[in-house]
Amino acid sequence: MKKMKLIVLDIDDTLTSSEEKHTDALLQAMSEFGIDNVDTNWKNYAHATDSYILKENYEKTFKKEFSLSLIPKFEEIMTDHFLKFPDSGEVLGARKMVDFFINNTDYGVCFATGSILKPAYLKLEQAGVQYYPEVLEASNRVYTREEIVKSAINKAESYYQVDSFNEIISFGDGLWDVTTANNLNLHFVGVNTKNVEDFEKTNVKYRINNWEEFDLFKAEKIFNIK
């Protein structure tokens, strides 16, 4: 089936129940880098991505410029910590819905996460969510959510062999996901229950508590997708 529309999926607490242990692994890895006293209110950062959070705290701690060349070592340490936690589960219905998108619709699927790459792979694998590495973008090479999402879309265009998609729906659980979708002029669906107030303040048109509630026909009607 030709894929002329696209689904963009965040991972942590959108597809996998993994935000808490992700944060723990991130903080433990920063501690091994000599970085402590980290502000964990991600809304206080200009960009809620692992690489940007690491950059900001590295520069504050060591009073020198951060380099992305440090990411591979940081990724290795963070992944080791992440593996010490129990496996990530799915957000209810995520596995089935991703399979549905891939196998039964004219929507392609890509993944855009603020996480470092290797833990992102692990989350999806542990939760049993189908994914293709070729269409997954993380924060190893860039700092902003917008760059991550645009890169994931570009990868999807190449993977599905289209010049551009007619419609794109982005899914996420946080304020930064809404903001990114708005900045890139994408349709947005809020997932999960913890940021309902943020979704209401930003006038999110469609929100679900979990994937068992998602109705593609309803979403297309709300977003006027033909």
Side-chain angles (χ1 to χ4, degrees), residues 9 11 109-113 115-118 120-122 124 131-139 141 148 151-152 155-156:
L9 295 164
I11 296 175
V109 171
C110 68
F111 303 82
T113 177
S115 170
I116 294 294
L117 185 61
K118 287 182 181 177
Y121 288 159
L122 285 170
L124 294 170
Y131 77 99
Y132 307 122
E134 297 92 337
V135 292
L136 192 156
E137 188 59 273
S139 67
R141 300 182 298 111
I148 291 166
S151 178
K155 287 183 175 185

Side-chain angles (χ1 to χ4, degrees), residues 1-4 101-107 160:
M1 186 181 297
K2 187 70 172 177
K3 305 288 190 177
M4 293 305 301
F101 288 142
I102 291 172
N103 299 319
N104 301 104
T105 75
D106 58 348
Y107 285 84
Y160 292 106

Side-chain angles (χ1 to χ4, degrees), residues 17 35 44 150 204:
S17 299
I35 302 168
N44 291 336
K150 284 193 288 186
V204 169

Side-chain angles (χ1 to χ4, degrees), residues 18-179:
S18 52
E19 180 64 40
E20 186 174 341
K21 71 174 185 175
H22 174 96
T23 297
D24 286 347
L26 176 66
L27 294 175
Q28 289 176 35
M30 282 200 280
S31 182
E32 285 200 29
F33 259 52
I35 302 168
D36 295 301
N37 302 316
V38 176
D39 181 3
T40 57
N41 184 350
W42 310 135
K43 294 177 185 178
N44 291 336
Y45 293 81
H47 307 289
T49 67
D50 286 359
S51 58
Y52 187 81
I53 291 164
L54 174 59
K55 174 183 185 295
E56 285 289 288
N57 286 283
Y58 180 94
E59 292 178 351
K60 182 176 69 174
T61 300
F62 299 113
K63 311 301 181 188
K64 62 181 180 180
E65 186 175 357
F66 178 77
S67 170
L68 285 170
S69 66
L70 296 171
I71 290 291
K73 180 61 177 176
F74 185 82
E75 180 178 48
E76 180 183 336
I77 295 170
M78 184 176 171
T79 302
D80 287 344
H81 283 300
F82 189 84
L83 284 167
K84 294 176 183 177
F85 294 96
D87 284 359
S88 305
E90 65 166 343
V91 172
L92 190 63
R95 286 196 302 265
K96 185 176 180 180
M97 187 55 66
V98 172
D99 288 347
F100 170 71
F101 288 142
I102 291 172
N103 299 319
N104 301 104
T105 75
D106 58 348
Y107 285 84
V109 171
C110 68
F111 303 82
T113 177
S115 170
I116 294 294
L117 185 61
K118 287 182 181 177
Y121 288 159
L122 285 170
K123 295 163 197 171
L124 294 170
E125 289 163 5
Q126 290 173 354
V129 176
Q130 182 179 180
Y131 77 99
Y132 307 122
E134 297 92 337
V135 292
L136 192 156
E137 188 59 273
S139 67
N140 292 49
R141 300 182 298 111
V142 293
Y143 295 118
T144 75
R145 291 269 176 172
E146 285 79 6
E147 289 174 301
I148 291 166
V149 171
K150 284 193 288 186
S151 178
I153 293 170
N154 289 337
K155 287 183 175 185
E157 288 171 348
S158 176
Y159 185 85
Y160 292 106
Q161 300 181 357
V162 299
D163 293 329
S164 63
F165 293 97
N166 296 333
E167 302 282 356
I168 302 177
I169 307 176
S170 180
F171 294 77
D173 70 301
L175 178 61
W176 40 85
D177 298 308
V178 186
T179 302

Side-chain angles (χ1 to χ4, degrees), residues 10-20 89 91 123 172-174 191-195 209 211:
D10 175 49
I11 296 175
D12 286 298
D13 283 9
T14 298
L15 294 174
T16 64
S17 299
S18 52
E19 180 64 40
E20 186 174 341
V91 172
K123 295 163 197 171
D173 70 301
V191 183
N192 230 311
T193 58
K194 62 183 179 180
N195 292 312
N209 293 317
W211 288 96

